[in-house]
Amino acid sequence: SKSPVRVAVTGAAGQIGYALLFRIASGEMLGKDQPVILQLLEVPMEKAQEALKGVIMELEDCAFPLLAGIEAHSDPMTAFKDTDYALLVGARPRGPGMERADLLAANAQIFTAQGKALNAVASRNVKVLVVGNPANTNAYIAMKSAPDLPAKNFTAMLRLDHNRAASQIAAKTGKAVASIEKLAVWGNHSPTMYADYRFATIDGASVKDMINDEAWNRDTFLPTVGKRGAAIIAARGVSSAASAANAAIDHMRDWALGTQGKWVTMGVPSKGEYGIPSEVMFGYPVTCEGGEYKIVEGLPIDAFSQECINKTLAELQGEQDGVKHLL
Ligand code: NAX
């Protein structure tokens, strides 16, 4: 049988953590034959550490056969020790009256410290997924703070946007969501992301031809996917958690175990693909194999798509400029 791998999760006592940890421990992320050791990080405050203890008690009470160990931490330097996977979920939310610059600065502090800790103590092959918002920029900060780790090990979560787009297309076409292939989401995890079904197929047939409605794409599909997070807050009173946790599982599982040629969306550091400046943490269509992702290259970009890509890129560059002096 396989030896256990180490999975660090930050924000472990939060909403997404609660929807995520039990699925990791049951083998849904890394496979039903892969034992895991959970290394859980929360802020040092007593309330958070107490809540984390409660989550750990519940994890114990599941008696998961694959759960080979659970650790509670309040310091990233111990939480990330030798970790093979790191899911950075905890972040500073925007408080009342908080300016965008304050939000960026508070998160820059968190993700600088966590990037440095990963750099110092994590496995050299650690796969990092940043979920905490602003996810792309936080991933960029962590990457820049970890110069001894390969930049490609740092990724941001665009998978929830990808899955939301797939579900809207399934509803529109009346086809099964699992039959949709070659969907892409470009750019920032924010309402500016560009969900792109120009290349998508269902059972080999073109989704674009099937829908054949540019106005629906522009006026319904893109705003619905872009504002889905806000719609869920409005309906539920709290932000999406189970669907976010599910997307994190999908992202890590596909990265680790491969996609068998299928496209998925990941936020990854650009190496200039599609004219995106180097190091920008950008949502791209990728395929995964042997523990590595590969950007799908050579796709034609039409005028409308270029406009959308420019817009989400400009937003991302604005965020990155806003933290430059803090790195
Ligand atoms: P919660 O507020 O329920 O939980 C966050 C937890 O993180 C809290 O328990 C907090 O104590 C902890 N935390 C804060 N700073 C920390 C630090 N420096 N180290 C360790 N733990 C820390 O939020 P939740 O609903 O779980 O959402 C977590 C993050 O995911 C938020 O930033 C949220 O905006 C983001 N999201 C990202 C999504 C994406 O697609 N990329 C979608 C869902 C979600 O909105």
Side-chain angles (χ1 to χ4, degrees), residues 245-295:
N246 179 70
I249 297 268
D250 283 351
H251 178 119
M252 281 304 210
R253 183 201 56 225
D254 286 348
W255 190 2
L257 305 181
T259 63
Q260 283 78 45
K262 282 189 80 162
W263 298 12
V264 293
T265 300
M266 291 170 69
V268 304
S270 172
K271 285 201 238 119
E273 295 88 347
Y274 297 96
I276 305 305
S278 175
E279 294 195 321
V280 172
M281 196 62 71
F282 205 76
Y284 281 111
V286 303
T287 56
C288 302
E289 198 186 336
E292 303 283 342
Y293 59 81
K294 199 163 148 254
I295 294 174

Side-chain angles (χ1 to χ4, degrees), residues 12 77 204 211 224 238 278:
M77 286 294 282
I211 293 174
T224 301
V238 284
S278 175

